[in-house]
Amino acid sequence: MQKYDPSTEVDFVVIGSGAAGGVMARQLSQAGFSVVVLEQGGWGAFGHEQDYNKDELSNRYPADVDKLISDPNLHRNTFRRNAGETATRGGHNYGCVVGGGTVTYGASSWRHLPWEFNEASVFGTMAGTGIADWPISYAELEPYYTMAEWELGISGERIDTPFMAPMSKPYPLPPQPIKSSGALAKLAAGKLGLTVVPNVAAIITEPYKGRGACINCGMCSGYGCQTKSRSSSAVALLPDAVATGKCEIRANAYVREISTDRNGKVTGAVYIDKAANNREVFQKAKVVVLSANGTETPRLLLMSKSARFPNGLANSSGVVGKYLMSGNGGGASALFDQPLNEYKGCVTGAAVLDFVPNDVKGRGFYGGGRMTARGFTSPIAYGLSGVHGAPTWGVAYKKALIEQANRKMVLANFISQMPIETNCVDLDPEVKDAWGLPAMRITSTSHPNDFKAMEFFRDKSVEILKAAGAKEVWADNISDSRGGAHSRGTCRMGNDPKTSVVNKFHRAHDVPNLFVVDGSSFVTGGRNHPTMTISALAFRAAEHLAAAAKTGNVKI
Amino acid sequence: MGPKVIEDSRRQFLIQSMTGVSAAWLAASWPEIAAAAETSWGQYTGAWTRFAFFTQAQGATVDAMAAQIFPTTDTPGAKEAQAIIFIDTALVTFAKDQQAVVTAGLDDLSRRVTAQGGRNFESLTTAQQITLLTAIQTTPFFRAIRDLTVMGMFAAPQHGGNFNKVGWKLIGFDDSLNFHTPFGSYDV
């Protein structure tokens, strides 16, 4: 791998190596620019993926060197429901390894629908929310969705339905098999008139670009992929970047500040080298691309205060960190007569699509969501907390545990959360992380509308599972988000520098050589998993940035 | 090499495997670990003499607790899974931070047994044991032993419990990690 001395001014520093950072590193280095990627996590099994661990206990209690996800005991964070509360210890975490969250994610890869880019115009806004149009349309992003799907390797089925975005090209790989949970959802769908389709996933089902097809091991979400079948940034993007001879990846490089000069331009990044006794290193760069995820990106901007940027870098609008949208759920579990063996194959199964679109009049709330059929909890997790309606130990526990084993499925739902200004990421005034930096503080309470949505999806899940012939159905308790996966919206893009952080090409309104590209750019959350949209935004941003750098619009 | 040496080296393997050795090392060493487990732990009869954490008396009590938490019925339970070995190993590795809770909890349990005129927990009748455990079931001590027992049923055998994969067999879990359709009874 190409190595750069930190004092050498490289063209681009990319902070983060996940869904967005991997795309930026690959596209910019392939365009001929020098790139240093700073990743705060370790190497994982980058380049020797066959060594990824499928042992549930070791995965639960990993040695530091094997950690793939941030540890809230070290990457401390705090949580509160509203500004009136004092935040207490939080459990927020995210993928933290070369390849970021894509190394361990469930790999769902759905596009946003066309109307999800201009909901304010189509449906109107709602009191108490920051619903607004994106500055780009679906049509503008569509070619980059296609590019992302083909460059990464996405499996799925193109279906002509208003519930899925129109595609200019089919998926490059056939869908994963429909598991028993999906077949049961289909059975119910036949009775209830619903649309059930295979999951769209960044998991290759046939050999693709030198990688082998998924072997349905089942130890998927939360684990590294030994066969490189999950199209993570670490196997589908970063090796291409390294192969250019122009890109260096530095693991264990935890950025604490993006530095600026007196003209208000960024000059590089200061990072803590975790692998070298936490010594500080300044990497000089002409341009900084920030792709650290929907919560770490705003935190780093807020940590990068200076006399010129007293409220944090690129934050003249005051919007950095605001409009945080994380995942909300609400579903149900059910017991069936025969074994489903959901532990075989990828965790996320088939999707029920009918409730993705808005139907404010019919359903009585704004927004929607995608329902997914699935069933697997790994053996330890199942034993600890997977048994329904039974004591937690003794003969009755054991009896229920055996009866329910392999015979359950879940409808887990992904519901759009409203963007609300007061839901935010900022810096905890007291708590520090293990490296002495201000801990991330998350403040979040879902909009009343979101609770209506969760209740709807829970009740609908019960109805579908009953129609599928379940012996018993258990509805989830409705609980509000506390951060975690799918965080987005915290550096929203827009045309007006007073109300947004980046422009439609991800350039910070306030800083000409700073680009922010990841889930933080989202304006509204979308009903589907965010990663494919993050990838598409990154391909589009990289193309624009490379062209701008070549024509002098961005100074290289 | 006599059995005792094998047991000790097995113990070393386990402890090392859970204290900062990489997954790659673990994977490379599995055949040896498995072989050691076959030869030494296959002979475990409930009178384990070389606990890493417990005293002999504590080990016997926790073994009896585990047998109530995950009882042997017409199918195997914590005894057959040798969950006690998992629990003992856990308390010197990934669950080290629970040592104080467990030691204090065992002292408290012992006092409760004495107060009702018993000699030790394991010599009480099943009904007496269940009554006592029910009385403490919300304590951090009981929760720790309960969770470690369950993990000892369902963690991979190289961690000490789930002997001969008895736990996995109970829940129909096949650890082949390589499957072809159809997976389940309802697959399309």
Side-chain angles (χ1 to χ4, degrees):
Chain A
M1 181 160 53
Q2 170 69 39
K3 301 271 185 193
Y4 296 100
D5 188 277
S7 63
T8 305
E9 187 181 52
V10 294
D11 296 331
F12 292 96
V13 152
V14 177
I15 302 169
S17 65
V23 171
M24 299 306 289
R26 177 183 186 264
Q27 300 305 98
L28 293 170
S29 60
Q30 286 187 339
F33 298 105
S34 55
V35 178
V36 169
V37 178
L38 301 175
E39 166 54 55
Q40 65 158 309
W43 285 106
F46 181 70
H48 55 107
E49 284 78 10
Q50 68 275 16
D51 290 332
Y52 271 124
N53 182 6
K54 296 291 180 186
D55 177 59
E56 189 183 2
L57 190 77
S58 308
N59 190 61
R60 218 178 163 92
Y61 302 100
D64 278 343
V65 65
D66 292 329
K67 281 180 182 159
L68 306 178
I69 294 170
S70 69
D71 178 352
N73 292 314
L74 302 174
H75 301 89
R76 282 173 211 124
N77 56 81
T78 61
F79 180 83
R80 57 183 185 169
R81 282 278 166 229
N82 59 63
E85 290 180 2
T86 301
T88 54
R89 189 189 170 112
H92 175 70
N93 61 8
Y94 46 83
C96 192
V97 63
V98 169
T102 62
V103 172
T104 51
Y105 77 147
S108 290
S109 296
W110 295 78
R111 296 180 178 204
H112 281 193
L113 284 101
W115 45 265
E116 291 187 296
F117 292 91
N118 59 347
E119 292 191 52
S121 297
V122 177
F123 303 106
T125 56
M126 189 193 304
T129 75
I131 293 171
D133 290 349
W134 294 48
I136 58 173
S137 66
Y138 178 76
E140 280 174 275
L141 197 55
E142 201 285 334
Y144 302 97
Y145 274 122
T146 302
M147 191 184 292
E149 284 158 1
W150 283 78
E151 294 300 317
L152 288 163
I154 305 295
S155 61
E157 196 177 344
R158 179 169 66 174
I159 293 163
D160 184 21
T161 158
F163 306 138
M164 279 175 80
M167 299 167 65
S168 59
K169 203 174 167 183
Y171 293 109
L173 293 149
Q176 296 183 284
I178 294 273
K179 301 168 46 153
S180 282
S181 56
L184 288 165
K186 277 196 157 191
L187 183 71
K191 297 178 190 168
L192 302 172
L194 301 175
T195 308
V196 177
V197 301
N199 192 31
V200 176
I203 294 176
I204 56 174
T205 48
E206 291 174 353
Y208 193 72
K209 295 195 173 195
R211 296 182 283 123
C214 175
I215 58 171
N216 302 308
C217 83
M219 302 299 266
C220 189
S221 191
Y223 294 80
C225 182
Q226 292 174 336
T227 55
K228 301 207 277 190
S229 312
R230 172 164 36 211
S231 302
S232 72
S233 169
V235 302
L237 297 168
L238 295 173
D240 292 347
V242 171
T244 63
K246 300 288 288 181
C247 177
E248 177 183 354
I249 301 165
R250 279 184 215 150
N252 300 301
Y254 181 23
V255 179
R256 70 159 182 81
E257 179 191 275
I258 297 171
S259 307
T260 47
D261 63 16
R262 70 184 63 173
N263 302 317
K265 288 187 153 189
V266 302
T267 55
V270 179
Y271 65 88
I272 294 166
D273 186 346
K274 292 178 179 172
N277 295 317
N278 294 330
R279 77 188 165 114
E280 287 207 350
V281 181
F282 173 63
Q283 173 62 55
K284 219 171 162 196
K286 292 173 185 161
V287 178
V288 170
V289 177
L290 178 53
S291 301
N293 86 40
T295 54
E296 282 288 52
T297 284
R299 174 172 174 250
L300 180 54
L301 291 174
L302 295 173
M303 287 197 295
S304 302
K305 280 190 183 107
S306 61
R308 192 185 173 106
F309 298 104
N311 299 322
L313 188 58
N315 193 26
S316 68
S317 64
V319 171
V320 168
K322 294 182 176 166
Y323 301 106
L324 170 69
M325 294 168 281
S326 295
N328 255 336
S333 315
L335 184 68
F336 291 86
D337 282 321
Q338 301 299 319
L340 281 71
N341 295 332
E342 289 285 315
Y343 67 88
K344 301 177 182 181
C346 175
V347 175
T348 307
V352 184
L353 298 180
D354 302 72
F355 310 106
V356 168
N358 272 336
D359 178 15
V360 183
K361 279 189 183 158
R363 299 204 292 262
F365 63 89
Y366 184 106
R370 188 164 44 78
M371 311 178 82
T372 69
R374 54 178 72 195
F376 180 49
T377 42
S378 43
I380 294 174
Y382 175 63
L384 288 175
S385 56
V387 183
H388 281 95
T392 56
W393 60 280
V395 173
Y397 158 74
K398 185 185 171 191
K399 185 166 178 279
L401 176 121
I402 293 170
E403 278 172 5
Q404 295 174 23
N406 282 340
R407 288 177 169 78
K408 279 198 290 203
M409 69 168 278
V410 180
L411 282 173
N413 306 314
F414 296 85
I415 301 167
S416 60
Q417 203 182 1
M418 300 289 125
I420 301 175
E421 190 177 5
T422 48
N423 287 350
C424 64
V425 170
D426 65 0
L427 305 178
D428 193 285
E430 309 285 337
V431 181
K432 306 283 185 225
D433 74 5
W435 295 269
L437 305 180
M440 178 190 299
R441 178 172 66 180
I442 292 176
T443 305
S444 179
T445 297
S446 287
H447 191 276
N449 181 89
D450 293 338
F451 285 95
K452 284 189 194 163
M454 286 188 266
E455 284 161 16
F456 170 84
F457 277 94
R458 178 198 55 194
D459 296 347
K460 188 56 73 177
S461 300
V462 169
E463 183 188 338
I464 292 170
L465 290 165
K466 283 185 176 161
K471 278 167 71 173
E472 234 176 309
V473 178
W474 298 278
D476 287 353
N477 292 321
I478 298 294
S479 59
D480 196 3
S481 166
R482 293 180 61 88
H486 305 168
S487 295
R488 57 214 123 133
T490 47
C491 294
R492 49 172 34 193
M493 57 158 64
N495 295 323
D496 183 353
K498 290 194 192 70
T499 57
S500 60
V501 178
V502 296
N503 72 14
K504 64 188 288 188
F505 294 109
H506 300 263
R507 191 194 293 232
H509 289 304
D510 299 346
V511 187
N513 61 340
L514 172 65
F515 290 76
V516 182
V517 189
D518 59 18
S520 69
S521 310
F522 284 33
V523 180
T524 45
R527 280 77 180 150
N528 286 321
H529 289 73
T531 308
M532 180 42 60
T533 298
I534 293 171
S535 305
L537 288 173
F539 274 101
R540 178 175 172 276
E543 187 177 281
H544 171 79
L545 185 46
K550 283 183 176 161
T551 56
N553 184 17
V554 171
K555 275 216 167 107
I556 292 292
Chain B
M1 205 199 291
K4 184 181 168 199
V5 179
I6 294 171
E7 280 164 20
D8 287 348
S9 66
R10 165 83 179 108
R11 172 72 55 191
Q12 276 310 110
F13 269 133
L14 272 180
I15 291 170
Q16 283 172 3
S17 75
M18 294 309 298
T19 48
V21 174
S22 76
W25 183 91
L26 237 189
S29 306
W30 272 348
E32 267 179 286
I33 290 173
E38 284 300 317
T39 50
S40 66
W41 292 18
Q43 295 150 17
Y44 176 70
T45 55
W48 186 253
T49 53
R50 268 176 298 281
F51 289 114
F53 174 69
F54 294 128
T55 64
Q56 189 67 23
Q58 288 173 327
T61 295
V62 174
D63 193 27
M65 286 178 72
Q68 293 301 348
I69 290 165
F70 207 106
T72 304
T73 53
D74 53 343
T75 52
K79 283 269 187 204
E80 292 74 20
Q82 304 183 0
I84 182 62
I85 298 173
F86 175 91
I87 299 167
D88 182 58
T89 306
L91 286 167
V92 295
T93 54
F94 72 90
K96 247 184 201 161
D97 60 343
Q98 304 203 49
Q99 286 183 357
V101 165
V102 170
T103 304
L106 282 167
D107 289 346
D108 172 65
L109 185 65
S110 170
R111 277 193 294 274
R112 288 170 186 260
V113 171
T114 312
Q116 65 184 64
R119 189 159 51 87
N120 52 40
F121 178 80
E122 54 276 23
S123 61
L124 300 179
T125 65
T126 290
Q128 287 172 320
Q129 287 183 358
I130 290 174
T131 304
L132 249 183
L133 293 182
T134 305
I136 63 164
Q137 67 181 351
T138 59
T139 63
F141 163 63
F142 180 84
R143 285 207 296 262
I145 299 298
R146 183 267 176 188
D147 285 357
L148 290 173
T149 301
V150 171
M151 288 187 211
M153 294 302 302
F154 299 116
Q158 69 264 22
H159 299 296
N162 193 12
F163 182 70
N164 277 339
K165 304 183 185 176
V166 290
W168 286 348
K169 286 173 193 162
L170 282 180
I171 57 168
F173 176 72
D174 171 351
D175 65 324
S176 304
L177 294 172
N178 186 346
F179 300 108
H180 299 277
T181 54
F183 302 142
S185 312
Y186 303 95
D187 289 24
V188 193

